[in-house]
Amino acid sequence: MYDILDGLINSTLGFGWPSWLISLIGYVLVATLLFAVAPFQMLFFTYYERRAIARMQDRIGPNRVGPEGIFQPIADGVKMFTKEDIVPDAADKRVHLLAPIVVVAPTMFMFAVLPWGPGMVPVDLNTGLLFFFAISSISAVGLMMAGWASNNKFALLGAMRAVAQMVSYEIPAVLSLLAIVMMTGTLSVVSLINAQGGLFISTNDVAGVPDLGLGWLIFTPVGLLAFMCFFIAALAEGERTPFDIPEADSEIVAGYMTEYSGMKFGLFYLAQYILNFLLCAIAAVIFFGGWQGPGVGWLYGMAISPTNPDGSWIFNLLAGVLGVFYFLAKTYFFFFVMIWIRGAYPRLRVDQLMDFGWKFLIPLTLVNVFSAAIWVAVTSWGVADGFGLVEGWSPMLRWGVAFVTTLVLNGAAYVIVARIYNSAQAARNRFDVDELRESLALPR
Amino acid sequence: MTITIQRGEVVEVARGSQRRRAVPGMGLLDSLGVVWKHWRESFRQNRDFSDIHGTFTEQYPDERPNLPEAYRNMPILLFDDETGHEFCTSCFQCQRICPPQVIHMTQAKDTTTGKAVPSVAEFIIEYDACMSCGFCAEVCPFDAIKMDHHFELSTSDHASLTVHKQELNRPVSYYQSIAPTLWEEAKAGAYKKLQGNIKRRPDVIGIAPHLVDRIAARRAELAAAAAAAPPPPPTAPAAPPAAAPPAEARKLTPEEKAAKLAAIKAANTAKQSGATPAETPPAAAELSPAEAKAAKLAAIRAANTAKQAGTVPAAEVPPAPVDEKAAKLAAIRAANAAKQAGTAPAAEVPPAEPAPVDEKAAKLAAIRAANAAKKAAAEDNETERN
């Protein structure tokens, strides 16, 4: 954005404005765009989810408002705005008011490091990933505030569950990302995407593969396992089924949102769907190359960029459109997978949720971190790093050896951990049944 | 794999082959596959319920639901298209069975006689409390009450849900259009019973009241029939001319009936009396006053003779027997008196004629009685002398 504005204002128009002004204009423009786009993503997602889940349940879904019901979220939004805002008498009014803001604000912050297309990132922080996940966990504070301030037992239960779940699932999410960070050697989201060029083999591992923008990390065993763990953790963080226990409507009304109505409730709703969008987007960015895809890298090579200031703006536009298309296609696909999972699986119990996070995902991600270390060692270490064994191998051979080793390691780890987990759960179920039988004094 | 299920036991059923289960998480993928298939197939309409996939949704206001024939919503009353006659006979079966008791009816009455007619004057169903159980339609012996398919009954006017006969009436053709096979089954019996009931409905009773042209046509038909019918028979003078039967289809009023009965009885009596004595003239019933006087006189004479002859006082003379019966009675009494007076055996006394209906017979009887009495008196004198 800075490059385009600089080229437009200073070179083409010749105003000679200072760089801080151009930066300011650029950021204001981008922030305005994002604040306009984010709610529309949320509106679209509500419609999308309702239609998709309806199809999975052999229904049609909302189709009365506008063509195929596309204006249904607008109607819902109007309803939200016109509803009465009720604050319980016993509520802590200030905290009650503040909670939705605290929940929504971090989700908007997270947009700051999210790249939409080539060169289309609001801020390219060199700790972008860390920022993203650090900010996302702030919303847990807002949830706790909401649950506490409502002075309602269901709200408090929901908030407790939400915080416990978020804290538990931050760990596997971050551990699975740790493996990715080890492989790519960067925390910047933009560098992460740039490392995923190539053709089923990342250009980061093997230099010189044809760059079709398909060197996604999902095509490595480490990336695959990391994606599985990350996506499951993302479901938990986004409070999606089967991990929607903080707002389990059949158990605790609506969880921490119980005492909220009108637009405050709407803000929670907004935050939740924007968070889901962001989690889908970051999964697409980290494991599926974000805007990477056939043609984008080639188009962007001819556009105005910091490395190529003499490019043509038309290629900026083309690369941007194609890149945003790839990025959104991947993001919407992941949201479809979330809906798909919602259609297929029932809700977990709290203890099952905790067991799954701590006893299955965390061991698996730890093994994955080890696999990532092997991958890095085999593909990029040398004598200087104390690993002279692979010094004479060709890059392809080193990649192949790393692939097979990590595949075996991760596969074996998955099967073993899953079986141990299964038998542990079965033993626990038996124990529960025995206990139940004793308490009921049933004959054996 | 055989599973023995015992009460209280937890049975774990593992799906898929042993090899598949070696890789954990395959069951989760299977369930995703099930949902995927539903999603993929949902873009196809499933109207015949042939399998569990496909969209079953009917876009209701745009698409009308294809209701099964036996669908039931609210009860309606049927009337015949051609004659306009309602099938209902107000037998009260539906009113009796109705669980929420929302059916009310009044039986139709003949305006001239006030007698009940197998037809319904007013029929009310409270749709607001009706529970659509369909018992009324099931129990109706005349197939007059049926369940409608119309279900869009919501209204802001509560009073309009108390539905009267006027709004309940539907032609048979309507019911045939919503439930053709059900009506085909009921049709023959319903029409047979309806024909029987039409015969018992005087005037225009039983014709759906909104069919004004039908009623007018029926009235005109009745008037024509009344004009063409023969005058009332003379044996029924008591029946009012207004209620005279214009056609054989009409039901007889009680007055007419009574008149008819009297005529028949009189005819029978005449027949009987004419049959017994062979010499009796056929017009025995019509006794002229003079003849009657003569008969009376004869009877008195006979009685007097018997009195004079006998020691026992004779029975009182009957006051004024005006007909042949009285004459006969008088003769018998006279004979009895004579018998009592005399000691002569009963065989001597001529047997009393069963029915001396004419004055001749009466005279004869009186003379015989007198003779018998005289004879008996003479015999008495002789025995006294002896």
Side-chain angles (χ1 to χ4, degrees):
Chain A
M1 186 55 86
Y2 177 85
D3 310 310
I4 296 168
L5 282 177
D6 190 42
L8 187 71
I9 293 168
N10 287 349
S11 310
T12 314
L13 301 175
F15 287 169
W17 285 0
S19 63
W20 63 266
L21 190 61
I22 293 168
S23 286
L24 185 67
I25 293 169
Y27 287 140
V28 167
L29 220 59
V30 167
T32 314
L33 263 177
L34 284 179
F35 276 106
V37 166
F40 276 101
Q41 291 295 340
M42 175 263 182
L43 291 182
F44 174 69
F45 265 31
T46 56
Y47 169 73
Y48 179 27
E49 170 157 30
R50 289 175 68 183
R51 290 285 290 194
I53 197 80
R55 287 287 179 194
M56 286 166 193
Q57 294 162 354
D58 299 329
R59 296 184 288 118
I60 293 173
N63 68 341
R64 311 304 301 180
V65 192
E68 286 298 305
I70 193 72
F71 297 129
Q72 182 68 43
I74 310 273
D76 288 344
V78 170
K79 181 199 77 173
M80 282 289 184
F81 271 109
T82 51
K83 271 197 169 181
E84 187 192 356
D85 175 35
I86 300 165
V87 181
D89 278 345
D92 189 337
K93 302 227 167 30
R94 258 175 287 179
V95 182
H96 190 267
L97 172 69
L98 214 57
I101 300 165
V102 175
V103 173
V104 171
T107 61
M108 299 311 294
F109 274 120
M110 285 152 83
F111 274 106
V113 292
L114 190 72
W116 290 75
M120 289 169 72
V121 60
V123 196
D124 181 15
L125 289 179
N126 56 5
T127 55
L129 264 185
L130 186 63
F131 174 83
F132 191 94
F133 284 94
I135 284 288
S136 77
S137 50
I138 289 181
S139 61
V141 178
L143 300 186
M144 193 66 215
M145 283 165 73
W148 182 258
S150 294
N151 205 356
N152 176 312
K153 58 176 174 287
F154 293 124
L156 187 59
L157 263 176
M160 294 288 204
R161 287 182 180 192
V163 173
Q165 176 175 321
M166 285 223 168
V167 168
S168 301
Y169 278 82
E170 284 282 305
I171 298 164
V174 172
L175 277 177
S176 59
L177 290 182
L178 184 61
I180 298 302
V181 170
M182 283 167 71
M183 278 173 80
T184 55
T186 176
L187 271 171
S188 157
V189 181
V190 175
S191 320
L192 203 61
I193 291 173
N194 288 334
Q196 295 186 58
L199 185 64
F200 304 111
I201 297 169
S202 168
T203 45
N204 206 38
D205 303 321
V206 183
V209 289
D211 184 9
L212 283 174
L214 287 171
W216 304 343
L217 288 171
I218 190 74
F219 298 130
T220 63
V222 178
L224 183 64
L225 191 61
F227 171 70
M228 281 169 52
C229 296
F230 176 79
F231 198 74
I232 292 168
L235 288 177
E237 284 208 36
E239 286 160 16
R240 301 284 315 177
T241 316
F243 302 110
D244 61 343
I245 59 164
E247 50 196 276
D249 44 9
S250 50
E251 298 166 21
I252 48 171
V253 193
Y256 51 83
M257 296 191 281
T258 302
E259 292 293 352
Y260 282 89
S261 56
M263 204 51 213
K264 282 185 193 162
F265 175 80
L267 279 180
F268 278 112
Y269 212 60
L270 176 82
Q272 200 185 351
Y273 274 91
I274 289 180
L275 184 65
N276 285 332
F277 170 79
L278 284 163
L279 288 167
C280 293
I282 207 75
V285 163
I286 295 168
F287 301 100
F288 286 78
W291 47 260
Q292 286 277 21
V296 183
W298 175 72
L299 282 171
Y300 192 60
M302 291 181 280
I304 308 168
S305 63
T307 52
N308 181 19
D310 307 322
S312 167
W313 63 270
I314 190 85
F315 288 106
N316 273 76
L317 191 69
L318 286 176
V321 167
L322 195 60
V324 170
F325 171 74
Y326 283 141
F327 168 71
L328 284 183
K330 288 167 191 173
T331 307
Y332 291 163
F333 172 73
F334 285 128
F335 193 66
F336 180 80
V337 175
M338 282 187 170
I339 299 163
W340 189 3
I341 287 170
R342 183 186 158 190
Y345 300 140
R347 186 185 305 129
L348 289 180
R349 242 174 19 222
V350 184
D351 60 324
Q352 290 167 337
L353 172 96
M354 288 296 159
D355 279 0
F356 192 73
W358 289 97
K359 295 181 186 171
F360 182 74
L361 286 185
I362 289 179
L364 215 55
T365 47
L366 284 173
V367 171
N368 200 34
V369 168
F370 182 60
S371 289
I374 291 174
W375 181 279
V376 171
V378 173
T379 54
S380 41
W381 282 6
V383 179
D385 305 299
F387 197 59
L389 181 68
V390 294
E391 189 62 52
W393 298 359
S394 72
M396 262 327 271
L397 182 64
R398 291 173 79 159
W399 180 85
V401 168
F403 190 90
V404 171
T405 314
T406 52
L407 183 68
V408 170
L409 190 62
N410 278 358
Y414 171 71
V415 170
I416 290 166
V417 172
R419 289 190 146 193
I420 291 172
Y421 178 73
N422 276 349
S423 59
Q425 291 292 306
R428 196 178 143 161
N429 285 343
R430 274 198 296 279
F431 178 74
D432 285 350
V433 169
D434 283 349
E435 213 171 41
L436 189 72
R437 187 181 285 127
E438 271 161 32
S439 70
L440 293 175
L442 279 174
R444 278 208 169 258
Chain B
M1 183 166 68
T2 54
I3 306 162
T4 52
I5 299 170
Q6 288 173 296
R7 192 173 284 274
E9 289 287 321
V10 175
V11 181
E12 283 183 34
V13 181
R15 291 192 183 84
S17 65
Q18 197 71 26
R19 186 191 252 179
R20 232 174 118 64
R21 274 157 54 205
V23 183
M26 281 303 175
L28 293 176
L29 290 183
D30 284 351
S31 65
L32 280 181
V34 169
V35 174
W36 174 260
K37 196 171 180 209
H38 273 277
W39 184 80
R40 197 190 58 207
E41 296 287 317
S42 71
F43 293 95
R44 168 176 71 78
Q45 291 279 311
N46 187 343
R47 278 285 173 273
D48 53 357
F49 304 96
S50 53
D51 66 330
I52 60 164
H53 296 289
T55 302
F56 301 92
T57 312
E58 275 174 356
Q59 300 280 303
Y60 158 59
D62 306 336
E63 271 176 71
R64 301 305 300 182
N66 188 15
L67 297 170
E69 269 185 42
Y71 172 83
R72 51 170 210 262
N73 198 52
M74 290 288 166
I76 50 168
L77 289 174
L78 295 187
F79 65 84
D80 181 27
D81 286 75
E82 285 164 32
T83 60
H85 269 282
E86 292 159 353
F87 284 81
C88 181
T89 62
S90 52
C91 65
F92 293 90
Q93 292 289 340
C94 50
Q95 179 173 341
R96 199 168 297 149
I97 205 163
C98 182
Q101 302 181 2
V102 296
I103 299 180
H104 315 279
M105 67 178 90
T106 313
Q107 190 159 25
K109 294 239 160 63
D110 191 325
T111 43
T112 50
T113 62
K115 292 277 180 173
V117 172
S119 173
V120 70
E122 179 56 300
F123 199 104
I124 299 173
I125 301 179
E126 296 165 52
Y127 270 11
D128 49 352
C130 174
M131 61 190 236
S132 304
C133 61
F135 281 8
C136 48
E138 262 178 58
V139 82
C140 183
F142 299 97
D143 289 295
I145 192 161
K146 291 286 176 194
M147 300 306 279
D148 200 0
H149 284 193
H150 179 67
F151 54 87
E152 287 157 323
L153 297 158
S154 76
T155 174
S156 56
D157 179 17
H158 190 185
S160 74
L161 288 173
T162 300
V163 187
H164 295 252
K165 195 177 84 173
Q166 186 95 26
E167 296 99 61
L168 286 170
N169 264 333
R170 301 276 191 292
V172 162
S173 56
Y174 168 76
Y175 185 66
Q176 205 166 12
S177 69
I178 61 171
T181 58
L182 291 181
W183 180 246
E184 206 55 46
E185 286 164 16
K187 194 177 175 180
Y191 271 111
K192 197 176 170 194
K193 286 170 189 164
L194 180 67
Q195 293 310 325
N197 284 319
I198 288 176
K199 282 184 189 148
R200 298 164 62 203
R201 291 173 177 175
D203 203 19
V204 293
I205 292 172
I207 300 179
H210 67 281
L211 299 169
V212 279
D213 51 338
R214 285 263 159 63
I215 291 171
R218 175 70 180 148
R219 283 227 166 89
E221 194 186 310
L222 285 177
T235 50
E248 62 273 9
R250 265 275 264 102
K251 191 194 154 198
L252 287 171
T253 58
E255 282 85 347
E256 286 171 342
K257 256 188 189 168
K260 228 183 189 174
L261 196 68
I264 288 164
K265 270 184 190 160
N268 284 347
T269 324
K271 233 188 264 168
Q272 268 180 2
S273 57
T276 328
E279 69 277 322
T280 313
E286 264 87 73
L287 231 78
S288 64
E291 284 161 342
K293 245 185 192 169
K296 197 164 98 183
L297 200 66
I300 292 163
R301 271 192 202 139
N304 287 348
T305 323
K307 237 191 260 174
Q308 284 168 355
T311 47
V312 183
E316 315 116 312
V317 180
V322 288
D323 56 354
E324 82 281 8
K325 255 190 190 170
K328 192 167 114 190
L329 194 70
I332 290 164
R333 277 189 187 151
N336 285 348
K339 238 189 265 170
Q340 281 171 344
T343 54
E348 275 185 44
V349 180
E353 284 84 1
V357 286
D358 56 349
E359 83 282 12
K360 260 189 189 168
K363 263 183 210 164
L364 195 67
I367 291 160
R368 275 187 191 154
N371 288 346
K374 259 184 224 164
K375 208 175 169 182
E379 278 173 7
D380 271 2
N381 293 341
E382 276 176 26
T383 48
E384 276 173 8
R385 252 176 254 146
N386 293 339

